[in-house]
Amino acid sequence: MKACLGILVSCAIAAAVLAPASARAQQTDPQLAARCAQLGSLYDRYNTQRGEGSGGPNLARLGAGVDCQKGRYQQGIKALEELLQRNRIPYPPAS
């Protein structure tokens, strides 16, 4: 019983110590978030496929959007820039 209580106390202390660190790691960088949104909307504007037989959604674009939503901005931006280059869609340089 005492061993279980000791383990529970250790877990509670670890959670209290690690929680602020994980919260800091998940904070968003507004400039990178804005860049993700800018590139995503640019791609969506010029590369919308409509109609029957359009091939369905672009999975690379969806994956980049998920990366941006999850705070993995560098990965999302890189994927979006590659999509824009591949489709020869000009985009503004990063500021």
Side-chain angles (χ1 to χ4, degrees), residues 1 7 10 16-17 20-22 25 29 32 34 39 41-43 45 47 54 56-57 59 69 73 81 92 94:
M1 182 74 170
I7 291 172
S10 296
V17 170
S22 66
D29 183 344
L32 292 175
L39 295 176
S41 66
L42 187 63
Y43 180 83
R45 182 184 320 150
N47 200 32
S54 66
L59 296 181
Q69 288 175 346
Y73 300 118
E81 287 177 344

Side-chain angles (χ1 to χ4, degrees), residues 1 8 17 21 23 27 32-34 47 74-75 77 87:
M1 182 74 170
L8 287 174
V17 170
Q27 289 178 343
L32 292 175
N47 200 32
Q74 297 294 342
Q75 294 154 310
I77 290 170
N87 289 283

Side-chain angles (χ1 to χ4, degrees), residues 30-75:
Q31 290 179 326
L32 292 175
R35 179 72 173 165
C36 262
Q38 176 190 37
L39 295 176
S41 66
L42 187 63
Y43 180 83
D44 292 341
R45 182 184 320 150
Y46 291 105
N47 200 32
T48 33
Q49 298 175 345
R50 294 184 179 92
E52 193 173 324
S54 66
N58 185 315
L59 296 181
R61 166 61 180 108
L62 293 176
V66 169
D67 284 339
C68 290
Q69 288 175 346
K70 298 280 185 176
R72 298 185 296 258
Y73 300 118
Q74 297 294 342
Q75 294 154 310

